[in-house]
């Protein structure tokens, strides 16, 4: 029996959260190591665990993986969340990258002394650009998924992003009925429901999270 996967990152969302969602959707149990000091990060670097000297780090199937995109694609392939052929995989990548284009903006919010301008940019520019596209794809699909007729990495990442949208702008999704239906349906997927109930999803970043990240990265 293989060892349980282990994710090393901060005790917050950041670039580790999508990996957590993917592991959860894939039904892969995992442990977590939370970085709290600069010395922990330097030790990982000194051991050669971080190829590009940065986290997150995912230990899985005997590998020490860095780069969040590579991690998510590996999990997707491992759990059959990457389409039935190369064309579907390419479309999944395309739609997943589109989600990341606006989802990563949410990760910046805890690090703004005054997030008003960033929130306005997300609400007034980014979301009106991207959400109608995904709403229409779901409407045209008629199958409840972004690509083909089964769950994929693109669905998981869109679901994660929609939770962030709803938390930050509670009334915004009312204009996108297909996205609301999709969010509710995804939340009921057995593996995702188990993940959400298991406490491994992280809360919105606060001052403690921000200060910890800054300390570990030597920014303060």
């Amino acid at each position: 029996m293989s060892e349980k996967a282990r994710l090393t990152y901060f005790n917050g969302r950041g670039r580790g959260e999508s990996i957590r969602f993917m592991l959860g959707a894939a039904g892969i149990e995992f442990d977590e190591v939370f970085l709290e000091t600069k010395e922990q990060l330097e030790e990982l670097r000194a051991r050669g665990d971080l190829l590009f000297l940065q986290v997150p780090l995912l230990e899985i199937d005997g590998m020490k993986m860095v780069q969040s995109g590579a991690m998510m694609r590996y999990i997707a392939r491992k759990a059959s969340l990457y389409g039935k052929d190369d064309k579907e995989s390419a479309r999944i990548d395309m739609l997943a990258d589109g989600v990341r284009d606006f989802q990563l903006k949410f990760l910046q919010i805890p690090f703004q002394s005054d997030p008003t301008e960033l929130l306005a940019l997300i609400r007034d520019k980014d979301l009106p650009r991207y959400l109608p596209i995904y709403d229409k794809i779901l409407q045209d699909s008629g199958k409840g998924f972004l690509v083909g007729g089964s769950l994929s990495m693109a669905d998981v990442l869109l679901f994660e992003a929609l939770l962030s949208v709803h938390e930050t702008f509670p009334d915004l999704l009312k204009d996108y009925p297909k996205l609301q239906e999709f969010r509710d349906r995804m939340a009921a997927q057995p593996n995702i429901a188990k993940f959400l109930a298991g406490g491994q999803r992280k809360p919105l970043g606060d001052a403690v999270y921000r200060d910890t990240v800054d300390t570990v990265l030597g920014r303060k």
Side-chain angles (χ1 to χ4, degrees):
M1 183 175 179
S2 61
E3 293 184 3
K4 188 183 293 187
R6 181 167 63 181
L7 179 66
T8 300
Y9 195 61
F10 305 103
N11 188 13
R13 292 183 182 176
R15 290 181 179 270
E17 192 73 348
S18 293
I19 301 163
R20 297 181 184 107
F21 267 78
M22 284 297 299
L23 289 166
I28 299 173
E29 294 187 358
F30 65 99
D31 293 324
E32 296 191 74
V33 175
F34 299 128
L35 296 178
E36 297 178 344
T37 67
K38 186 177 180 180
E39 288 71 25
Q40 285 177 287
L41 179 60
E42 292 301 331
E43 182 180 350
L44 291 172
R45 289 171 171 170
R47 288 205 311 249
D49 289 350
L50 304 177
L51 183 62
F52 300 111
L53 306 181
Q54 60 193 23
V55 290
L57 166 69
L58 177 64
E59 297 173 75
I60 186 171
D61 295 338
M63 298 184 294
K64 294 184 177 182
M65 298 190 69
V66 295
Q67 296 296 340
S68 55
M71 297 175 199
M72 290 186 287
R73 289 189 293 273
Y74 179 77
I75 296 165
R77 292 187 184 98
K78 181 179 174 70
S80 300
L81 300 174
Y82 210 41
K84 70 178 189 297
D85 55 33
D86 288 344
K87 288 186 177 180
E88 284 199 356
S89 296
R91 185 162 178 80
I92 289 166
D93 277 334
M94 182 171 65
L95 295 177
D97 285 352
V99 171
R100 300 291 281 171
D101 283 347
F102 70 88
Q103 168 69 356
L104 291 175
K105 299 280 183 69
F106 286 92
L107 307 187
Q108 301 172 24
I109 295 172
F111 299 94
Q112 306 293 310
S113 56
D114 181 0
T116 303
E117 185 175 343
L118 177 59
L119 289 170
L121 176 67
I122 296 171
R123 183 191 63 233
D124 300 334
K125 183 176 180 181
D126 293 319
L127 297 183
R129 175 184 175 188
Y130 287 97
L131 293 188
I133 296 172
Y134 289 94
D135 195 70
K136 186 175 188 305
I137 290 171
L138 289 168
Q139 182 175 349
D140 293 345
S141 164
K143 298 179 180 179
F145 301 103
L146 290 172
V147 180
S150 61
L151 184 68
S152 76
M153 175 176 69
D155 296 306
V156 177
L157 297 186
L158 178 60
F159 173 64
E160 179 203 354
L162 292 178
L163 292 183
S164 296
V165 171
H166 181 68
E167 286 174 335
T168 311
F169 309 108
D171 297 327
L172 196 145
L173 287 180
K174 72 179 186 302
D175 296 326
Y176 303 99
K178 287 298 179 183
L179 290 180
Q180 285 186 305
E181 292 174 13
F182 172 84
R183 181 198 62 198
D184 295 342
R185 187 169 57 253
M186 287 288 292
Q189 289 274 338
N191 281 346
I192 292 176
K194 181 180 178 181
F195 167 72
L196 293 175
Q200 287 184 298
R201 185 187 182 217
K202 300 300 179 272
L204 291 168
D206 57 13
V208 173
Y209 166 67
R210 181 185 65 238
D211 290 346
T212 300
V213 173
D214 286 343
T215 296
V216 171
L217 297 182
R219 300 194 300 217
K220 61 176 297 183

